[in-house]
Amino acid sequence: MEKKQPLLPITLERTLSAISTYTPTQPLTVIICSYPKSGTTWMQNVIYELLALQSFRTTSKKTTLSHISNYCPFIENDKAWSFSSTPPQLASNHLEAHSGINATIFNTHLYLSTMPSGDNIKYIYMMRHARDVCNSFYYHLSHQAPEDGGYTGSRSDFVKEWSNGEIAFGSWGDHLKSWLNSDGTVKDSRCLRVNYSDMKRDIEGSVRRVAMHIGVGEITDEELDDIVPRLSVKYMKDNIEKFEPRSVKWVDKGDGFSFVRKGNEGDGKKEFEEEDEKVFLEGFETFPPPEGCVDLL
């Protein structure tokens, strides 16, 4: 039986109910799914650019990104929904943004079992090496306001709670198992698994693969040359006002933290203390990932 996920305070029972009863209104809905800090915002940017391109091909009108959260709301954020009607609908700013690209985009850290139904839904499941996920999530939650689920303990305390599945969204291994079979393949045929390391190594190839999955089709070299510069870590850091989530409040600790950090691979292993590494590995004895994903440990 699937465990109940621990969630942030921004998710209420009515939020989960709204998700389960939601009926997409646009011809296409793309839901970017991941355990936190697995490349979610990066993929949000990819999907936005591809759907903006598809809209431009049809209308010859260019869409300007105001904020990624307008186009790709956090589906489990209660504020993303309007409860003035039955069933609940998305907030008006999201509906307006989606009408401009003729598609709906969400991002989520929930399990597959909680997702809305619909044949016109496409999923992208993002994955990243576990130590980097844990390390990045520590930086994220330690700069998030405590009332929104932010973390106030030490890194070592965080690693221990993360490894025990006590941090928001539960254990990394359980999350992967909710979306993937034991061999690492996707459980739902509407879902495409994308590895963070593949995007780091070959962003052009990754964009082309995602475009085919969501129905945008073949991307020309000229279109790719236009899109790719806006997908870099530098671009997102330089335009952080368009990418920092609005679903929670942030704490300025005066340490130069940015929601878009470095995007590196291997920092988790470099920054873990010896005891952190021991606790980290012990956690996977209790919450192992699918056998087909052990290369991400």
Side-chain angles (χ1 to χ4, degrees):
M1 185 175 178
E2 191 172 72
K3 300 184 185 75
K4 184 176 181 179
Q5 274 187 292
L7 300 172
L8 293 172
I10 63 174
T11 302
L12 309 178
E13 284 300 322
R14 71 173 188 176
T15 325
L16 298 175
S17 177
I19 295 168
S20 66
T21 59
Y22 176 70
T23 300
T25 56
Q26 296 292 346
L28 170 68
T29 296
V30 180
I31 304 181
I32 301 151
C33 322
S34 68
Y35 189 87
K37 313 312 293 181
S38 300
T40 317
T41 304
W42 195 6
M43 183 55 71
Q44 286 178 252
N45 196 13
V46 170
I47 297 298
Y48 164 76
E49 288 288 349
L50 288 174
L51 294 179
L53 168 62
Q54 181 169 256
S55 178
F56 175 72
R57 286 173 171 175
T58 304
T59 66
S60 297
K61 294 179 181 178
K62 288 210 168 187
T63 303
T64 301
L65 180 64
S66 51
H67 192 284
I68 197 66
S69 292
N70 288 334
Y71 289 91
C72 188
F74 193 37
I75 200 171
E76 56 262 41
N77 175 20
D78 194 69
K79 293 178 181 178
W81 298 90
S82 171
F83 295 91
S84 59
S85 61
T86 305
Q89 296 295 317
L90 284 175
S92 58
N93 61 311
H94 303 312
L95 293 175
E96 181 180 355
H98 291 157
S99 67
I101 56 174
N102 205 33
T104 300
I105 318 173
F106 291 112
N107 77 92
T108 185
H109 300 316
L110 298 176
Y111 291 159
L112 173 60
S113 59
T114 64
M115 291 295 98
S117 59
D119 294 334
N120 62 339
I121 295 176
K122 294 289 187 180
Y123 296 106
I124 306 290
Y125 189 70
M126 287 294 300
M127 300 181 63
R128 188 181 184 187
H129 284 95
R131 289 176 185 80
D132 290 336
V133 167
C134 178
N135 194 52
S136 186
F137 202 17
Y138 165 72
Y139 282 113
H140 176 118
L141 284 185
S142 64
H143 290 83
Q144 186 169 303
E147 63 267 28
D148 287 337
Y151 192 78
T152 57
S154 69
R155 183 206 303 274
S156 292
D157 288 340
F158 182 89
V159 173
K160 184 178 296 183
E161 292 180 44
W162 187 91
S163 299
N164 289 335
E166 298 167 355
I167 295 295
F169 304 107
S171 80
W172 181 78
D174 283 348
H175 199 284
L176 268 61
K177 285 180 175 177
S178 78
W179 284 91
L180 305 175
N181 297 309
S182 60
D183 63 356
T185 57
V186 295
K187 288 183 176 180
D188 192 305
S189 61
R190 297 168 296 174
C191 185
L192 175 70
R193 169 182 161 173
V194 178
N195 285 14
Y196 187 92
S197 58
D198 291 339
M199 291 181 66
K200 288 281 289 185
R201 183 178 64 255
D202 181 16
I203 185 61
E204 293 87 355
S206 297
V207 170
R208 290 186 189 277
R209 184 168 168 248
V210 170
M212 293 300 294
H213 178 69
I214 66 174
V216 172
E218 296 285 353
I219 304 294
T220 67
D221 291 344
E222 183 179 4
E223 289 170 337
L224 201 60
D225 288 344
D226 176 60
I227 290 174
V228 166
R230 293 191 294 277
L231 302 180
S232 70
V233 171
K234 183 180 186 308
Y235 176 85
M236 291 190 288
K237 283 180 72 75
D238 290 346
N239 294 273
I240 190 64
E241 72 282 356
K242 296 183 178 183
F243 295 101
E244 184 175 81
R246 293 173 170 173
S247 53
V248 296
K249 295 184 287 295
W250 300 94
V251 177
D252 184 358
K253 296 185 174 181
D255 56 2
F257 170 80
S258 171
F259 172 75
V260 178
R261 294 177 60 242
K262 295 179 286 186
N264 292 340
E265 292 188 285
D267 282 358
K269 192 166 187 176
K270 292 176 185 175
E271 296 187 33
F272 273 17
E273 300 290 341
E274 184 176 341
E275 183 61 25
D276 296 336
E277 179 70 9
K278 180 175 178 289
V279 168
F280 176 85
L281 292 175
E282 287 174 349
F284 288 113
E285 295 177 10
T286 306
F287 302 107
E291 292 179 10
C293 301
V294 294
D295 58 313
L296 296 176
L297 293 181

